[in-house]
Amino acid sequence: MTRILFWNIESFSVNKIFSASIKRQRGHGGLNDMQSAIQRRAVINAVLTATQPDIIVIIEVSSGDNAPNALASQTGGINALAMVQFGLNNPATMVAGGWNAVPPLYTGTGGRAETVGILYRRTDTAGNLRRYFTGPNIWTGGHGGLSVPPGGGAAAPYNGMVVPIGAVNVNGMLVPPGLGGVRQIPAGAQHNGGLNEDVVAARIAFTTTLGAPVAFGGLREPFMATFTETDNLGVVQRDLTIFGIHSPPNNPAAANYITTLSTINDIVGALGVNETRVIGGDFNVNLFAVNGTASGLYNPLTGGPGAYTLLVSPTAVGVPVNLDQYKGYFSTHIRGKDKTAASKFLWSNGGGPGQSFYPGYGYVGSNFVVAPFYSIDNILVWPHNGMHNYQTTIMNTVTGTPMNGVMAPPDNPPPGAIALANQFTAPPMGWPGAPTAANYPGIGGAGNLTGWSNYGRVRNTSDHFGISADI
């Protein structure tokens, strides 16, 4: 079992988690930038502590368009990844085996460019498993190298050049200080067996099942990274292929993007003997239609040659009994604050149609995209094991998880399995209210609930909740 956390941490950059500035920003509860970053880092750390992941996939990591180079630009995003890795490898808190990071390639062009951050544990806690990054591509050397398919060049490490002061040593992501020398990929791995970890690379260029190049037209390409897991004797147990996804923020374009994914040979081609494929991230399409039935927008992947299975999947047969309640259990995207009584944001507005239902109340959704737009992140797996409990959990930092404030709600929506406290630091007594929120507390109470100490710091960390699953 490998626990994977996919999380779009909005505009993830070093300023999200660290700042030396003492400048105060509006809406941050009087805190300066340094204090605000500490609080956002606390929200992120709470999710990491609760999930105890083996692999972390961070979507929407900041990067510029670094052409003609392939690596993400040496800006705040790659610095943030290096800082997270450094924190995970802190001797005071490090888990067994330590953490590596996949060298980040930038995806997309121009103003759409960003990257995906993937960090992975090198062993399991018991020391019975070894996990290796295997590519699937090779790297041609240095910080100015290229990611190419095996055979497309000579494989070389990410070092071999002087790293400017303040720049991230990318080779150190795969050979972290204090964790020994570079590791060799096991000979039985699906990709690049016998090579060292620091000469392989992720992949962002793809072909169809017929061998034709797949064009993304400047959109953010899937970020493909492969891993091999062995026992402590080096015998291969599984090959794991992960695709980090950030579809375009436009529903028709995002739907077309999913269709394009279903043409990629690496996604829908025949599985390797020991291979499991996982596609996860921010798909920017809603899981549900307006009436709460399945939207069908993932059908190109779930009904195509790959026969992927959604781990966050509708449970109602037909139209849900209570859509306002039902959708909160599936929601991964949250709105900017609204302090009006009519918004039912974190409160009810009287009885009847004014009720605001746990766990989504009125904060789920989007301020910019036409509804429905609330369940837009997901994880798909192939092959799916019907006997396995994937422990899939939407890491809701507003109400906490599991979302069990209502016993046996209609249509059996998924409460999640992982225990996470809500990340409000000054909530009113009885928070969160269930099965409905308490009535509107007045402008002062609404200001407290939506203020920095409560909803404010959660929303300032990200407009998405992460999803964790045991694969």
Side-chain angles (χ1 to χ4, degrees):
M1 180 276 291
T2 297
R3 178 165 289 179
I4 307 178
L5 172 67
F6 287 90
W7 192 3
N8 180 332
I9 305 180
E10 183 182 13
S11 301
F12 188 67
S13 184
V14 68
N15 288 340
K16 179 76 69 171
I17 57 175
F18 175 82
S19 177
S21 170
I22 58 172
K23 182 178 180 180
R24 301 182 190 276
Q25 306 287 346
R26 291 185 62 185
H28 289 191
L31 302 180
N32 61 38
D33 290 343
M34 180 189 301
Q35 295 165 325
S36 300
I38 290 171
Q39 294 236 348
R40 289 189 293 266
R41 192 163 71 239
V43 174
I44 294 170
N45 285 344
V47 173
L48 297 182
T49 299
T51 54
Q52 293 291 302
D54 299 295
I55 298 177
I56 304 166
V57 184
I58 304 176
I59 309 298
E60 201 172 307
V61 178
S62 297
S63 173
D65 183 331
N66 204 23
N69 297 317
L71 287 172
S73 56
Q74 286 279 351
T75 48
I78 195 170
N79 274 275
L81 293 176
M83 184 171 290
V84 171
Q85 183 184 13
F86 179 82
L88 291 169
N89 284 330
N90 182 335
T93 59
M94 185 176 68
V95 297
W99 289 80
N100 280 8
V102 174
L105 310 178
Y106 79 91
T107 64
T109 61
R112 289 170 291 200
E114 59 186 43
T115 188
V116 173
I118 301 182
L119 301 104
Y120 63 99
R121 288 184 64 179
R122 295 152 56 107
T123 72
D124 66 356
T125 301
N128 295 326
L129 177 145
R130 304 284 187 271
R131 184 176 295 110
Y132 299 85
F133 171 53
T134 64
N137 278 2
I138 60 168
W139 186 248
T140 60
H143 280 197
L146 296 174
S147 169
V148 298
Y158 292 80
N159 56 16
M161 60 180 289
V162 176
V163 179
I165 295 175
V168 172
N169 176 7
V170 176
N171 211 69
M173 291 179 146
L174 292 168
V175 193
L179 295 182
V182 63
R183 302 187 306 171
Q184 187 179 66
I185 297 168
Q190 182 180 7
H191 302 284
N192 296 314
L195 296 184
N196 289 341
E197 277 187 294
D198 67 347
V199 302
V200 299
R203 176 179 294 170
I204 61 167
F206 303 94
T207 60
T208 67
T209 54
L210 299 177
V214 177
F216 283 89
L219 300 177
R220 297 173 290 257
E221 301 93 342
F223 190 99
M224 177 186 181
T226 56
F227 301 87
T228 289
E229 297 174 336
T230 74
D231 62 18
N232 55 15
L233 297 177
V235 178
V236 172
Q237 304 297 298
R238 179 169 67 169
D239 295 298
L240 191 60
T241 301
I242 293 176
F243 297 89
I245 304 297
H246 192 188
S247 300
N250 175 287
N251 192 275
N256 291 336
Y257 188 97
I258 291 176
T259 299
T260 300
L261 294 181
S262 72
T263 69
I264 294 174
N265 185 59
D266 286 317
I267 290 179
V268 299
L271 288 169
V273 174
N274 299 309
E275 185 184 14
T276 297
R277 290 183 195 158
V278 184
I279 310 174
D282 174 6
F283 292 87
N284 271 315
V285 296
N286 207 53
L287 181 62
F288 300 99
V290 173
N291 67 355
T293 58
S295 66
L297 293 172
Y298 290 96
N299 285 356
L301 291 170
T302 59
Y308 284 84
T309 296
L310 284 163
L311 295 189
V312 178
S313 183
T315 56
V317 178
V319 177
V321 171
N322 182 345
L323 178 58
D324 285 341
Q325 180 187 66
Y326 179 76
K327 71 181 184 181
Y329 292 90
F330 298 88
S331 292
T332 64
H333 195 266
I334 61 176
R335 297 158 46 88
K337 67 181 181 181
D338 187 335
K339 295 188 285 186
T340 64
S343 70
K344 300 189 291 183
F345 197 75
L346 297 168
W347 44 79
S348 294
N349 187 24
Q355 289 182 316
S356 187
F357 289 91
Y358 172 94
Y361 307 125
Y363 68 87
V364 299
S366 172
N367 297 88
F368 308 106
V369 181
V370 176
F373 195 80
Y374 51 86
S375 183
I376 64 171
D377 304 79
N378 220 312
I379 300 174
L380 299 94
V381 62
W382 179 40
H384 179 265
N385 182 353
M387 302 300 292
H388 173 64
N389 183 354
Y390 287 87
Q391 301 281 311
T392 307
T393 304
I394 296 170
M395 305 307 296
N396 187 321
T397 47
V398 174
T399 63
T401 58
M403 293 175 281
N404 53 11
V406 177
M407 293 296 103
D411 297 311
N412 194 33
I418 297 171
L420 170 70
N422 73 75
Q423 294 302 298
F424 287 16
T425 60
M429 187 175 296
W431 176 260
T436 59
N439 281 334
Y440 184 63
I443 191 64
N448 173 56
L449 273 169
T450 59
W452 177 268
S453 296
N454 295 315
Y455 187 82
R457 75 184 204 131
V458 168
R459 177 59 183 80
N460 198 252
T461 300
S462 183
D463 53 354
H464 291 253
F465 297 142
I467 306 178
S468 174
D470 293 351
I471 307 296

